[in-house]
Amino acid sequence: MDVLIQVLTKNALITALAVTGLMMIVSHLLSKYLTKGKLQSSAIAITMGLVIAYFAGVYMSIPKERKVSLILRFFQVLRYWAAPCCVTWPLPLPLLK
């Protein structure tokens, strides 16, 4: 794991471009299948970027002792949030009718 972090840190520009490309692919798939084209993929990508930037800012302002517990808590919340979404994924979103 340390080697992977070291390589990604050493090649920061390539890592940033790869993450941006991955976000664009995910936002395109979300736009195509989840919203059936009602939301543009660029709007979803911008929203994802803003959310990630917000959580990065929150993460950087937390003392080092609490960062591990915050990451674990985030993944616990994500697990409970993602489970109902996976069950109801083929259904249209109620806000986009």
Side-chain angles (χ1 to χ4, degrees):
M1 188 63 152
D2 293 333
V3 175
L4 178 66
I5 292 173
Q6 185 179 12
V7 169
L8 293 177
T9 305
K10 189 174 182 180
N11 302 313
L13 180 62
I14 295 171
T15 303
L17 292 174
V19 169
T20 303
L22 183 65
M23 284 179 52
M24 290 303 296
I25 290 171
V26 168
S27 65
H28 175 71
L29 293 174
L30 286 173
S31 173
K32 186 176 181 180
Y33 295 110
L34 193 63
T35 67
K36 302 211 189 302
K38 292 182 181 179
L39 280 177
Q40 293 182 358
S41 61
S42 60
I44 295 172
I46 290 170
T47 305
M48 287 170 53
L50 290 172
V51 168
I52 289 171
Y54 172 76
F55 283 115
V58 169
Y59 179 75
M60 294 305 290
S61 66
I62 294 175
K64 190 172 183 176
E65 306 85 45
R66 294 186 55 216
K67 284 184 182 179
V68 174
S69 65
L70 178 69
I71 292 171
L72 292 175
R73 191 174 312 129
F74 171 73
F75 283 113
Q76 288 172 348
V77 169
L78 184 64
R79 182 183 65 186
Y80 289 115
W81 175 80
C85 293
C86 294
V87 173
T88 61
W89 178 71
L91 301 176
L93 292 174
L95 299 176
L96 300 175
K97 286 183 179 178

